[in-house]
Amino acid sequence: MTRRLAIGIDIGGTKVAGGVVDESGTITHRARRDTPHRSTSPSVVEDTIVDCVDELRTAVDPADIVAVGIGAAGFVAEDRATVLFAPHLSWRREPLRRQLAGRIPWPVIVENDANAAAWAERTFGVARDESHVVVITLGTGIGGALIIDGQVQRGRFGTAGEFGHMQVVPGGVRCECGNRGCWEQYASGNALVREARAMIGAGSPVVADLVGRLGGDVAALTGPVITEAAREGDPTARELIAEIGDWLGVGMANLAAAFDPGLFVVGGGVSAAGELLLGPAREAFRRQLPGRGYRPEARIERARLGPEAGLIGAAELARSGR
């Protein structure tokens, strides 16, 4: 019996991760490459994708492969073929599917990476039984995706779900998108590190333990370092994580007003803080929710599939043709 396998490729700022995914969402074989530097020409990134696919096709019977899905961190047009803009790569209106068509012998779809991760959680993860889902990915910034009536909502031009760039503080912190006060400037890995460095720069004694973890090298401070410290009981790290959680809850209350989901799924690297993040987020959500006390509240849960959700979802979207 022929298996209906699909290849998923997840393109991030630092790595290109690939996998052969079966119909149960299990990754049977993996490949990984470093992401070419952002100044590299688009063709080099495409070479990297093809290289991953070529490695994976040798690991299985190619006759079992039915499609290839590519998840890209950036704006993907409604045709699911063109990357309009990718902040970490040199893709600008790049006709990616066309460029790969002669080099990959299966149908190819291109998808926003957050949409792909959301579909993985909807199909195989924590959102399997929910028809209306908002997915928030907390990493360096904030990515997002929206599922309504069990379908990914991409928007008229393909760029829906960029929740990280909602303005939550008029005239606030400058964002890489060019605006000020975007949500991701207050509820992301970058925000977590910025606040910790501000405390260190101010000479606050409460960050002494955190600085000690770094051996005095403040440049080595990262979100995972703060998260690890918080999980090990460092009170200042826990306070910083809780502040991110507060802002997360505020933004989700705004999204609940707009979309009324039954479930928020929180993924990405910052979600490793678990309840240290989600507890404050739930409290802030309840405080800020319009009509609180008189309406059902969406659940807020941590994503289940981890960092491989993007490639699993890209593969499943390609296989199913959704």
Side-chain angles (χ1 to χ4, degrees):
M1 180 177 177
T2 301
R3 296 185 295 169
R4 298 187 73 253
L5 302 176
I7 291 176
I9 304 291
D10 185 23
I11 305 166
T14 60
K15 72 179 186 302
V16 176
V20 177
V21 183
D22 68 18
E23 291 179 277
S24 71
T26 300
I27 302 172
T28 64
H29 300 83
R30 292 172 172 80
R32 175 171 171 155
R33 302 288 188 277
D34 291 336
T35 303
H37 191 269
R38 67 170 64 197
S39 64
T40 305
S41 69
S43 63
V44 178
V45 183
E46 290 147 17
D47 290 344
T48 304
I49 295 170
V50 173
D51 192 40
C52 277
V53 172
D54 285 344
E55 177 182 338
L56 293 166
R57 69 189 293 184
T58 64
V60 297
D61 183 347
D64 290 339
I65 299 172
V66 297
V68 176
I70 298 170
F75 290 1
V76 177
E78 75 279 4
D79 61 6
R80 302 174 72 200
T82 306
V83 181
L84 299 174
F85 172 75
H88 301 294
L89 299 169
S90 55
W91 286 337
R92 304 292 184 267
R93 298 191 180 276
E94 180 67 16
L96 183 58
R97 186 168 67 189
R98 188 183 71 197
Q99 295 295 92
L100 297 173
R103 307 178 67 184
I104 294 176
W106 298 286
V108 174
I109 66 105
V110 182
E111 186 61 81
N112 170 267
D113 60 342
N115 286 347
W119 189 247
E121 292 290 345
R122 173 69 176 82
T123 309
F124 305 112
V126 71
R128 290 182 70 171
D129 298 322
E130 181 55 62
S131 61
H132 291 65
V133 185
V134 172
V135 177
I136 307 296
T137 55
L138 299 181
T140 302
I142 294 180
L146 179 64
I147 294 173
I148 295 179
D149 289 332
Q151 300 295 324
V152 176
Q153 302 299 306
R154 300 178 178 89
R156 170 63 181 85
F157 304 108
T159 60
E162 294 296 332
F163 306 134
H165 298 291
M166 300 185 303
Q167 187 185 64
V168 295
V169 180
V173 175
R174 178 72 72 182
C175 181
E176 291 180 357
C177 77
N179 292 331
R180 287 187 178 273
C182 292
W183 188 27
E184 70 174 41
Q185 293 303 315
Y186 301 89
S188 67
N190 269 354
L192 182 63
V193 173
R194 185 188 68 236
E195 291 303 302
R197 286 182 173 162
M199 293 177 75
I200 293 170
S204 174
V206 301
V207 291
D209 289 346
L210 199 54
V211 174
R213 287 174 174 267
L214 306 170
D217 182 10
V218 178
L221 184 67
T222 63
V225 169
I226 300 169
T227 299
E228 181 182 5
R231 294 175 69 175
E232 293 178 0
D234 182 276
T236 301
R238 289 190 169 209
E239 179 183 334
L240 289 165
I241 292 285
E243 288 179 2
I244 297 298
D246 284 343
W247 279 110
L248 176 61
V250 169
M252 288 193 296
N254 289 340
L255 292 171
F259 300 115
D260 190 28
L263 173 66
F264 285 95
V265 177
V266 181
V270 182
S271 71
E275 287 303 309
L276 295 174
L277 174 78
L278 297 185
R282 292 189 187 101
E283 291 178 10
F285 177 76
R286 294 187 186 107
R287 289 196 308 269
Q288 298 294 324
L289 185 65
R292 51 195 171 275
Y294 297 95
R295 59 179 288 176
E297 290 183 11
R299 293 179 294 126
I300 299 172
E301 303 289 347
R302 185 181 173 190
R304 184 175 296 165
L305 299 178
E308 293 182 316
L311 76 86
I312 294 171
E316 183 59 26
L317 285 166
R319 175 178 21 240
S320 63
R322 289 181 178 266

